[in-house]
Amino acid sequence: PTINISYYGEERGIYAGKVFINKMFVPAAIHLGPRPTFEDEEVICEAFLIDWDENIDPGTMVEIEVYEKIRNIVKFKKLEI
């Protein structure tokens, strides 16, 4: 499950972090920037929630904390793993 929100900051890359949602902290991998693999230049914050299997209602308030940069953004040759 991912949370996608608008992002206006300057940082770009993939980060380790956590998301505060439904009164708990959830570890997350956080993408800040465009998504070149999808030919999408819109800058976003996309947080992938690790070990989370609940639905998130649109409009749910969340707090995202970014800790450490893991790597830069790269364009993959194909979408499949």
Side-chain angles (χ1 to χ4, degrees), residues 3 5 19-26 49 52 55-64:
I3 296 172
I5 60 173
V19 176
F20 185 72
I21 183 171
N22 295 341
K23 300 180 182 177
M24 63 188 337
F25 284 101
V26 179
L49 304 176
W52 182 266
N55 288 330
I56 302 168
D57 294 326
T60 298
M61 296 297 293
V62 299
E63 181 180 322
I64 297 174

Side-chain angles (χ1 to χ4, degrees), residues 2-3 14-17 22-24 26 36-37 39 52-53 55 57 59-60 66-67 77 80:
T2 60
I3 296 172
I14 309 302
Y15 294 81
N22 295 341
K23 300 180 182 177
M24 63 188 337
V26 179
T37 302
E39 304 295 331
W52 182 266
D53 58 4
N55 288 330
D57 294 326
T60 298
V66 175
Y67 293 127
K77 294 179 182 179
E80 296 83 28

